[in-house]
Amino acid sequence: MNEKDFAELAAGAALDALSPDDQQRYHAALAAHPEWQSIVDADADSAGFLADGVAQAVPSPDIRAALLARIAVTPQSGDVVLSDSAPDSMPDPAPGETADAAPVADSAPAARDGDDAPKAPAHRLRFLFALAACLALLVGVGAGAVAINTYINRPASVVALEDIQAAGDAQQASVSLESGGTATAHWSASLGKSVLVTDGIPSLAEGKTYELWYVRGDTPVSAGVFAADDGEATAVLAGEMHAGDVIAVTVEQDGGSPSGLPTSDPVVVIPTA
């Protein structure tokens, strides 16, 4: 991932608008390129400025009067009144209708001339207020649900990486790959967790996968397999990390080494001591 692509993800992260996949790519890229933290900080400052820099707008008192006047003359049959003024005369009410609408309509122009606004029937106002409240509730619940869903559905590797970075004894080490990419191990001895973040690791042929290992002395312990998407991966190592373990990666067949031992030379070797 280049700096331009990361800047786009950082802008989305500042607005809390990244998908789970993009959030994983964002964290992986930041872990591999800590020098891009300045981009993250700048976007966070910009988002805060946009949120705090908008002055609260006070609506004009005329808006309420005009709204109530329009409500008062709006038929309840579903028809829409397009005219900006009430008609000079009202037609005779149809059989079954009341003549209450005419006096209400006559009061509408007075409201537009600045006089007291007419009061719409209470049941109409209750309906409109309830509708507005429901819309506000739906918008709030919808936005909150998206944010909660995004947070809950974070990949396990991203959760583990965040836990490690928040630990008081968090450590990391990076190595360069033959392909020109980098691999960074993050670990916390107190948590017994470690995560490997790669950027620019080669894609493998069909039927092959990367396998993670904890190497304790001369004993390799399998820690799971992972695949790289366009050279990028954030993989949490399975099992508990021990102080002094070496984190290694080999290329194995799909599903990992059948013998439980590495079958190829490691492509990544990162000591943690």
Side-chain angles (χ1 to χ4, degrees), residues 222-263:
S222 177
V225 298
F226 71 94
D229 183 14
D230 294 331
E232 299 177 357
T234 301
V236 58
L237 279 74
E240 183 178 359
M241 174 195 169
H242 294 179
D245 280 351
V246 174
I247 295 175
V249 177
T250 61
V251 177
E252 306 292 343
Q253 69 181 50
D254 274 345
S257 171
S259 66
L261 296 173
T263 62

Side-chain angles (χ1 to χ4, degrees), residues 57-71 111-112 117:
V58 179
S60 169
D62 294 338
I63 294 178
R64 178 178 181 276
L67 174 62
L68 293 179
R70 180 54 60 89
I71 292 173
R112 284 188 290 273

Side-chain angles (χ1 to χ4, degrees), residues 16 141-154:
D16 195 20
V141 170
V146 170
I148 293 173
N149 184 65
T150 300
Y151 181 83
I152 292 176
N153 291 323
R154 293 172 299 164

Side-chain angles (χ1 to χ4, degrees), residues 107-123:
S107 64
R112 284 188 290 273
D113 291 336
D115 296 337
D116 292 339
K119 294 183 178 180
H123 71 276

Side-chain angles (χ1 to χ4, degrees), residues 119-141:
K119 294 183 178 180
H123 71 276
R124 297 181 189 171
L125 292 179
R126 286 196 297 270
F127 172 77
L128 291 173
F129 292 156
L131 178 60
C134 290
L135 290 175
L137 179 61
L138 288 174
V139 170
V141 170

Side-chain angles (χ1 to χ4, degrees), residues 60-87:
S60 169
D62 294 338
I63 294 178
R64 178 178 181 276
L67 174 62
L68 293 179
R70 180 54 60 89
I71 292 173
V73 300
T74 300
Q76 299 304 299
S77 61
D79 297 333
V80 178
V81 177
L82 298 179
S83 173
D84 288 336
S85 60

Side-chain angles (χ1 to χ4, degrees), residues 196 201 204 208-213 215 220 222-226 247-253 256-257 260-269:
L196 183 72
I201 195 169
L204 297 178
K208 297 291 184 180
T209 190
Y210 287 111
E211 186 161 2
L212 294 156
W213 304 89
V215 182
S222 177
V225 298
F226 71 94
I247 295 175
V249 177
T250 61
V251 177
E252 306 292 343
Q253 69 181 50
S257 171
L261 296 173
T263 62
S264 67
D265 293 333
V267 295
V268 175
V269 176

